[in-house]
Amino acid sequence: MLTPARTQRFGSILDAIGNTPLVELKHFSPKEGVRIFAKLEGQNPTGSVKDRIALAMVEQAERDRLISPGQVIIEPTSGNTGISMAMVCKLKGYRFTAVMPANVSGERSELLRAFGAEIVLTDGKKGSNGAIEVAQGLAAEHPDYYMPYQYGNPANPQAHYDGTAPEILDAVPDVTHFVAGLGTSGTLMGVSRRLKEHDERIQVIAGEPDLGDLVQGLRNLDEGFVPPIFDQTLLDKKLDVRSDNGLRFTQELLWREGIFAGVSSGGALSIAVKVGQALDQANIVVLFADGGWKYLSTKLWTRGIDEATEALSDQLLW
Amino acid sequence: MSVDVRVPTVLRKHTDGERVVKAEGSTVAAVIEDLERVYPGLQGELRGDDGALRQFVNIYVNDEDIRYLNRLDTQINPGDELAILPAVAGGGGG
């Protein structure tokens, strides 16, 4: 039965960003004493963790007087950041252009258009690397454009230092491990810094998507990319997420816990369970970056795993 | 002792297009040296002039990044799997 809890009232959807629920995943606990809790970032207004950083980056630029209403903001994004930026820009009166690889799911470009964003599509084979190059080129050609650049903007990790991490400590004061997917690294960097200040024994573990074979446009290794905000010393471990494993856990998450999350969440969960299997006592918090909505067209939850893997093999899912 | 090494698309020009190759060695460094004997040029892609792992190369032993283990001195045991992956940009996962 639902018990009345505190219901917050907000003056704007922007105020509804953050304070996401944290849910224990009892069916994924590998043994007694090892508990896994999921932070559901899909509950943010546009359905992903990126609402936090979009608001933080835009408000930082406003404080630094780098932008004024009517100005074009441009950002390379595989989708979620773009949708969050489009929402924040719409409410604050900026024009937004998303630069993204052509092979992201259809729901994402549809949502971007719904929020009034312009879209520049880049070569899917080059993945996010390609989108970054094109966005940097456009920003250089148009000095009046402002590019927040999530991969290098300190406001990205700061949003997690100020918001996500204190929320985790509030809900699980005795957290021992934090697990999240590695994208821009903003979530891991910001949360890690705060958690380790709280208790340096807390272990922070990254799940890295296995994108190697997807990004086939990479001509040589010098075209690789490490986000400027990434600081290796803030991680204790980095594990490779096999994409089929990530998909399987994403399905299982819905079937066993009723949680409809995006595919990077399944990947992060596969890492949390693997880490938990090697421990006797632990409170593991894993961050689910988005909900499943933007992946519905993949039919992941209604197809067999092999068919889904095959169908998804050329899509940029992270 | 032989281990399987997964090679990314971008480096398969050195391995005659092979996706998985076999190599011997008890550390990651030894495995790379063994690979170099069979596939000349590969070692230079992975290690810089100072011998350290290049910035945009990630090597995983049993899915764990060796930068958080013992780097190139990470021990290899029978049945281990080694994977080489390029560092590329992600974004959706946070």
Side-chain angles (χ1 to χ4, degrees), chain B residues 2 14 21-22 25 32 40 70-71 77 80 82-83 90:
Chain B
S2 164
H14 296 286
V21 296
K22 296 228 179 268
I32 292 175
N70 222 350
R71 293 177 173 263
N77 297 307
D80 282 354
L82 221 124

Side-chain angles (χ1 to χ4, degrees), chain A residues 46 48 50-51 53-54 57 73-90 96-100 108-109 111-113 115-119 150 294, chain B residues 91-92:
Chain A
T46 75
S48 89
K50 300 295 191 176
D51 285 353
I53 72 160
M57 292 192 300
I73 297 183
I74 185 169
E75 182 69 13
T77 160
S78 60
N80 280 330
T81 303
I83 294 160
S84 300
M85 285 295 300
M87 185 263 291
V88 172
C89 288
K90 174 171 252 342
F96 179 65
T97 299
V99 183
M100 63 179 199
R108 301 193 199 188
S109 39
L111 264 167
L112 279 166
R113 288 194 185 93
F115 275 104
E118 294 283 322
I119 301 174
Q150 56 174 338
K294 293 167 198 136

Side-chain angles (χ1 to χ4, degrees), chain A residues 50 78 128-129 132 151 181 183-184 186-187 208 210 213 218-222 224-226 230 232 235 237-240 242 274 318, chain B residues 6 8-13 19 45 55-58 60 62-65 67-68 71 81 85-94:
Chain A
K50 300 295 191 176
S78 60
S128 294
N129 283 33
I132 292 168
Y151 297 94
T184 67
T187 304
E208 180 155 74
D210 188 345
D213 282 332
L218 204 65
R219 286 187 296 271
N220 61 65
L221 284 169
D222 293 337
F225 182 79
V226 176
F230 179 70
Q232 193 188 317
L235 296 184
K237 232 185 232 296
K238 180 146 75 77
L239 297 168
D240 177 31
R242 301 293 184 89
K274 185 172 178 175
W318 280 56
Chain B
R6 280 165 61 205
T9 317
V10 65
L11 293 181
R12 285 181 207 155
K13 58 189 174 224
R19 205 189 147 94
E45 296 263 22
Q55 189 193 4
F56 298 134
V57 175
N58 290 327
Y60 292 82
N62 300 334
D63 294 338
E64 185 157 358
D65 189 329
R67 284 195 175 87
Y68 298 89
R71 293 177 173 263
E81 198 186 81
L85 289 172
V88 294

Side-chain angles (χ1 to χ4, degrees), chain B:
Chain B
M1 169 182 71
S2 164
V3 290
D4 282 346
V5 182
R6 280 165 61 205
V7 180
T9 317
V10 65
L11 293 181
R12 285 181 207 155
K13 58 189 174 224
H14 296 286
T15 61
D16 308 320
E18 289 296 325
R19 205 189 147 94
V20 178
V21 296
K22 296 228 179 268
E24 310 247 330
S26 58
T27 64
V28 174
V31 168
I32 292 175
E33 275 156 32
D34 189 49
L35 283 175
E36 176 69 16
R37 278 189 281 277
V38 188
Y39 306 108
L42 198 55
Q43 177 155 246
E45 296 263 22
L46 305 177
R47 305 176 68 168
D49 295 337
D50 58 356
L53 200 59
R54 284 189 190 273
Q55 189 193 4
F56 298 134
V57 175
N58 290 327
I59 297 182
Y60 292 82
V61 172
N62 300 334
D63 294 338
E64 185 157 358
D65 189 329
I66 63 165
R67 284 195 175 87
Y68 298 89
L69 295 169
N70 222 350
R71 293 177 173 263
L72 291 164
D73 296 328
T74 301
Q75 294 288 317
I76 303 292
N77 297 307
D80 282 354
E81 198 186 81
L82 221 124
I84 304 168
L85 289 172
V88 294

Side-chain angles (χ1 to χ4, degrees), chain A residues 28 247-261 269 288 292 296 300-302:
Chain A
F28 286 93
L247 295 175
R248 187 168 293 118
F249 272 86
T250 307
Q251 294 181 323
E252 295 278 330
L253 194 53
L254 178 62
W255 297 336
R256 288 156 73 176
E257 299 280 359
I259 295 177
F260 180 52
L269 178 59
F288 290 171
L296 262 183
L300 171 63
W301 295 270
T302 45

Side-chain angles (χ1 to χ4, degrees), chain A residues 243-244 247-248 300 304-314:
Chain A
S243 54
D244 53 346
L247 295 175
R248 187 168 293 118
L300 171 63
I305 189 77
D306 292 339
E307 200 187 336
T309 305
E310 175 72 30
L312 297 176
S313 63
D314 62 346

